[in-house]
Amino acid sequence: MSSAANVMLAIHEKRTTPTDLYRPLRLYIASAYSEREAAAADDDLAAVRDLRADVEQPSLPDPSSLERRRDALLAYARALSLVEPRFPISSDRAHVHSLAFTWHDAFKTGKKASVASIHLEKAAVLFNLAAVYSQIALAADRATDVGIRTACGSFQSAAGAFAWMRESGVAAKAVAAGATTVDVTPECAAMLEKLMLAQAQECFFEKVIAGGKPPTLCSKVARQVGIFYEEAYAALSAAPLSQHFDKTWVSHVQLKAAQFYADACYRCSLDLHEKEEIAQEIARLKIGISALADAKKVARGVAAPLLDSVNKLESNMKTNLERAMKENDRVYLMRVPDASSLGALPAASLVKPTSLAEVLDASKERLFSSLVPDGSMKALSKYTEMVDNIIRTQAEKLQQASEITRVRLKEMDLPDSILSLEGNITLPLDLKEDVEAVQISGGPAGLEAELQQLRDLSRVNQELLVQTEEMLQKEANEDAQFRTQFGSRWTRPQSSTLTKNIQDRLNLFASNLKTAGDSDSQIERGLKESYPLMSILDRRPIESALPSISRPIMSLDGNEDAIVGALKQSLRQLESLGAQRAGLEDMLKEMKRKDDILPKLMAGVGSHDDLFKKEISKYDPVCAEIADNIVAQEQLLLQIQAQNEQFAAVFNLEDYKVARERCYKQIAAAVAKYRDIKKNINEGLNFYVTLQEAIGKIKQQCSDFIMTRNIQCREMIEDVQKKLAGFSFSSSSSQASMQRNTSVPPDQNSPSPPPPSSHAPHAQGPYGVPPGGDSRPGYSQPEQRPAYSQPYPPYGAPPQQPPYGAPSQQPPYGAPHPGHYQQPPHQQPPNHDYGQQAYPGGWRGQYYNPHQPQPQPQPPYPQPPYNAQGSYPPHQSSYYRPQ
């Protein structure tokens, strides 16, 4: 067996020694038929000899040679199908003299078997056909779509060849004839079939990974790959294969099984992470990492690319595990379940052994047609049709009987009523799945925590709104004070004119918050009113909430136990009859598989109808058993019906059924109410998160606006001062005039003018600080003027003055204090379009944006732990729609 860099396996062919078929077969024809028949068969004998000679030649590794090799093996296999019924080549029927076949073991070439058996020849040819299919698959370039389809199809064809060896009985007959090599045993064929299926499924796994399919699908495909490898490894570990294969080869299969089981856990964990089921994600990752570690301990001599692939997978899983554990410790605080409590990973099998019935069908071949009359072949087809008709008829009877049993038991509410009496109560499957979904999501008890998230988000939005309005009001007050101080010289637009659109939007947000608050109150009232109804969903298990059948308080004869015991005994008998029917159907199919009358047709004398009647009669006992089974079932169902009526009367089943149906309806109503409240809460959460982002953007725009107005204020003060200075006729009178126009009354509520403009602008504090106000630190903005203002240029400003927006020693007014809300670093520069829509188009939290270049700084207010989008976006929600 060889391994390529892509870490898959191909099988070497069995070697054989040259064998002359022509002479022994011709002698047999001459002796069994006539010399004339032997002469007529010369061409066919030469064709078989040439086909055998082609098989004896070693194959070449190039794809075209492999395809020619495959075709040669198929042609020879079809020829052997025609040789077998006409020439008795076997050790116990050695009518063909001096003919034996020698084949070496494919895995231990020093061992060989030399047997006079056509079965060994057929088994060896099928083995080599499977080996060539595996080599074609390994030679395909799986980096291309055509290559991966070729590889997958060839591996399935190889599995089909091994399956044909096992299922047709060729391998077992070869062993029975004296073949001593392990490679042609049914056990080895079954193991190699699973190995080929594993590699075919692995091709599909590579395809879905390359196609970017969802993690759930990738996990199912990977799990099935692992299952196939596990089955192959189990066969390798059992006799007679355990001591036959090289240890490195066994280690390869074992490590592959662990790798794909771990990969399935890894892909499943990715899906769990998206669903925020962090606890199960951690458990799955731990299980997968443990499986890899155990397999690596015993892996010896495996290919380096396989080890590299395993190590890379293990590294990725450890990275994800570390991240998930940190998130769970900091945010989710969920209990990690034990590995034993987790269900088995689902698997999706996308491959199966390709049937070789069509390519091995020799019915159209003309070899040795003169030796077997066409009538014999037609007679065989007629007999096969008779057998198929019997099996089809009996199978329909069996299926009908099983369906009658199912319907009658359902009408009598059995065995559910017996299970209820014993405490084993079950919900209908669809209702149980609904309840489990509710309980997994937290149940009614978890809705209060989600309501608290609504309250927290409402408070955060209200605080942001108030902060933004206070910023605008403060700027407007400062503008009004300067307008009063400078009078008509203060010519810039009023703040209320510029901020009208912003103020309208803030008013709209306030109205929306009020409407949302009313909706929150309705949800709280609805939860409080409906909690008694929904509390049944918190019962674990939910079956404990169901009514059960109770024994009668008073009994006249005390025969309740006898009634229940008799009914249970009858149900067990009915179950036994069902199992018997399944066995009878399998028996019919097995009889057909082994039913080969071709040798009798060729060697028999007399009428074919007599032969058919004799052969078909062997199916009569099975058909009689089926008839008896159906009759016994009908009688037993009548008995069960009478016993169930007595049981229902004693245990008052009618009241129980009414109470049970009432409980089912209550549970269904509770589920519906829970889903309604849950949907409204999710709408609210999504609304508040989206509104929070919108208010945050407005707040940022207000900060930009205030900073720009502050710059305008400084420039206008300088301009007014210089204009006033131009009216002075002397330095002393100019200075006195300037003091009169820029000073304030002695109440010290107005800022003092700055020193002369000889100082650089960036070295002085901001002008126009409001009375009693402190200049707040600011932040730098892009070097551009907002669209809504055109500040006055300073009159006579020195040319070396820094450009607008240049950094200064003291941050400009309007910048947030440390710890105050800041816009995330990835926020685009504001476009100052204060008329934009109040709701941005959609929101996704940081968890759903794994490619974010850097983490966003956290605002001072608490972020809600629930930030996943609900099922209904805010713009579609009628409950939280802005008014």
Side-chain angles (χ1 to χ4, degrees), residues 291-310:
L292 284 180
D294 293 342
K296 287 171 62 178
K297 291 178 182 178
V298 296
R300 297 291 184 272
V302 297
L306 175 57
L307 279 178
D308 293 341
S309 176
V310 169

Side-chain angles (χ1 to χ4, degrees), residues 465-479:
L465 195 61
V466 170
Q467 293 170 10
T468 306
E469 291 175 341
E470 289 177 350
M471 290 169 57
L472 291 178
Q473 187 60 45
K474 185 172 183 179
E475 193 279 332
N477 293 341
E478 292 171 358
D479 181 72

Side-chain angles (χ1 to χ4, degrees), residues 518-529:
D518 295 341
S519 298
D520 295 345
S521 299
Q522 293 179 15
I523 294 175
E524 290 195 49
R525 288 195 300 272
L527 176 59
K528 184 176 180 181
E529 294 169 358

Side-chain angles (χ1 to χ4, degrees), residues 646-758:
Q646 188 179 10
F647 173 76
V650 171
F651 289 90
N652 197 11
L653 286 190
E654 292 302 322
D655 291 347
Y656 161 72
K657 292 178 181 178
V658 171
R660 184 184 62 184
E661 291 301 320
R662 186 187 308 115
C663 189
Y664 286 170
K665 292 179 180 179
Q666 179 185 354
I667 293 174
V671 170
K673 178 59 67 175
Y674 174 87
R675 287 174 173 171
D676 183 59
I677 296 176
K678 179 78 171 178
K679 182 193 74 172
N680 290 334
I681 291 177
N682 286 341
E683 287 181 1
L685 292 171
N686 195 38
F687 167 82
Y688 281 125
V689 169
T690 306
L691 183 61
Q692 178 180 333
E693 183 178 358
I695 296 176
K697 289 183 178 180
I698 287 291
K699 183 178 179 183
Q700 178 63 45
Q701 292 174 1
C702 291
S703 297
D704 299 340
F705 168 76
I706 292 171
M707 184 192 70
T708 304
R709 294 279 286 178
N710 185 44
I711 295 173
Q712 286 180 344
C713 177
R714 291 205 309 266
E715 292 176 350
M716 185 166 286
I717 289 177
E718 287 185 8
D719 189 41
V720 170
Q721 289 174 344
K722 290 176 181 178
K723 287 181 179 180
L724 291 176
F727 292 100
S728 300
F729 298 99
S730 65
S731 59
S732 60
S733 62
S734 174
Q735 182 177 5
S737 175
M738 190 171 184
Q739 291 174 352
R740 284 194 301 272
N741 286 279
T742 59
S743 61
V744 295
D747 58 2
Q748 298 181 357
N749 289 331
S750 176
S752 300
S757 59
S758 59

Side-chain angles (χ1 to χ4, degrees), residues 383 600 608-619:
Y383 175 79
K600 297 178 181 179
H608 286 165
D609 291 337
D610 293 339
L611 176 62
F612 292 165
K613 185 177 180 180
K614 178 182 178 181
E615 291 295 323
I616 209 76
S617 63
K618 60 177 171 280
Y619 293 94

Side-chain angles (χ1 to χ4, degrees), residues 368-660:
F368 307 114
S369 59
S370 61
L371 299 182
V372 179
D374 291 339
S376 298
M377 300 303 295
K378 292 179 181 179
L380 178 62
S381 298
K382 180 181 178 180
Y383 175 79
T384 303
E385 185 177 346
M386 294 170 61
V387 172
D388 290 341
N389 184 57
I390 290 175
I391 293 177
R392 182 171 55 253
T393 301
Q394 297 303 316
E396 290 175 355
K397 291 181 179 180
L398 292 171
Q399 292 172 5
Q400 184 179 10
S402 297
E403 182 64 17
I404 289 174
T405 299
R406 187 189 67 81
V407 173
R408 296 278 293 276
L409 288 178
K410 185 173 181 62
E411 291 174 351
M412 292 184 284
D413 200 24
L414 292 173
D416 292 345
S417 56
I418 296 293
L419 294 175
S420 175
L421 181 63
E422 297 174 345
N424 299 322
I425 313 173
T426 58
L427 277 175
L429 182 59
D430 55 346
L431 190 57
K432 184 176 180 64
E433 291 176 350
D434 290 343
V435 173
E436 288 177 349
V438 169
Q439 293 180 344
I440 289 173
S441 64
L447 293 177
E448 179 59 35
E450 297 188 17
L451 278 177
Q452 184 59 43
Q453 294 175 14
L454 280 182
R455 300 186 193 104
D456 293 341
L457 282 171
S458 177
R459 175 181 54 78
V460 167
N461 278 277
Q462 192 66 45
E463 291 175 357
L464 278 175
L465 195 61
V466 170
Q467 293 170 10
T468 306
E469 291 175 341
E470 289 177 350
M471 290 169 57
L472 291 178
Q473 187 60 45
K474 185 172 183 179
E475 193 279 332
N477 293 341
E478 292 171 358
D479 181 72
Q481 290 180 7
F482 283 119
R483 194 173 302 280
T484 301
Q485 177 181 347
F486 292 106
S488 61
R489 295 182 181 87
W490 196 256
T491 59
R492 71 171 182 172
Q494 292 186 4
S495 298
S496 60
T497 302
L498 298 177
T499 61
K500 183 178 183 306
N501 287 340
I502 298 180
Q503 199 66 50
D504 290 344
R505 293 180 66 198
L506 293 177
N507 292 337
L508 177 60
F509 290 159
S511 175
N512 291 342
L513 275 175
K514 183 178 182 305
T515 303
D518 295 341
S519 298
D520 295 345
S521 299
Q522 293 179 15
I523 294 175
E524 290 195 49
R525 288 195 300 272
L527 176 59
K528 184 176 180 181
E529 294 169 358
S530 303
Y531 196 85
L533 170 66
M534 295 189 299
S535 61
I536 193 174
L537 300 178
D538 284 327
R539 300 283 291 272
R540 295 176 184 269
I542 187 63
E543 287 80 7
S544 63
L546 296 177
S548 59
I549 299 176
S550 57
R551 295 180 177 273
I553 299 176
M554 298 182 62
S555 175
L556 297 178
D557 50 10
N559 64 341
E560 296 89 354
D561 292 337
I563 293 174
V564 174
L567 183 56
K568 290 171 66 175
Q569 178 64 25
S570 298
L571 289 174
R572 283 193 291 267
Q573 293 176 5
L574 189 65
E575 184 179 1
S576 177
L577 287 176
Q580 182 184 6
R581 285 196 300 274
L584 290 172
E585 186 173 3
D586 292 340
M587 186 183 301
L588 281 174
K589 294 178 180 179
E590 181 66 14
M591 289 177 65
K592 179 195 172 183
R593 189 183 68 81
K594 296 180 177 180
D595 193 5
D596 181 14
I597 67 167
L598 181 59
K600 297 178 181 179
L601 276 174
M602 297 175 60
V605 293
S607 170
H608 286 165
D609 291 337
D610 293 339
L611 176 62
F612 292 165
K613 185 177 180 180
K614 178 182 178 181
E615 291 295 323
I616 209 76
S617 63
K618 60 177 171 280
Y619 293 94
D620 292 343
V622 181
C623 296
E625 287 188 50
I626 292 175
D628 294 343
N629 180 282
I630 294 173
V631 172
Q633 173 183 280
E634 185 60 31
Q635 295 175 351
L636 189 57
L637 283 173
L638 293 174
Q639 177 181 320
I640 290 174
Q641 183 176 0
Q643 293 172 339
N644 188 62
E645 291 174 356
Q646 188 179 10
F647 173 76
V650 171
F651 289 90
N652 197 11
L653 286 190
E654 292 302 322
D655 291 347
Y656 161 72
K657 292 178 181 178
V658 171
R660 184 184 62 184

Side-chain angles (χ1 to χ4, degrees), residues 776-818:
R776 294 177 296 177
Y779 56 90
S780 60
Q781 281 292 109
E783 190 170 305
Q784 60 181 20
R785 295 185 184 274
Y788 56 75
S789 65
Q790 296 293 334
Y792 296 94
Y795 180 80
Q800 68 274 16
Q801 180 175 352
Y804 160 65
S808 60
Q809 290 182 353
Q810 181 174 1
Y813 173 80
H817 288 279

Side-chain angles (χ1 to χ4, degrees), residues 330-353:
R330 297 175 181 176
V331 179
Y332 298 96
L333 305 177
M334 299 173 68
R335 186 183 67 83
V336 178
D338 294 333
S340 58
S341 66
L342 298 177
L345 287 173
S349 179
L350 303 179
V351 298
K352 62 180 181 179

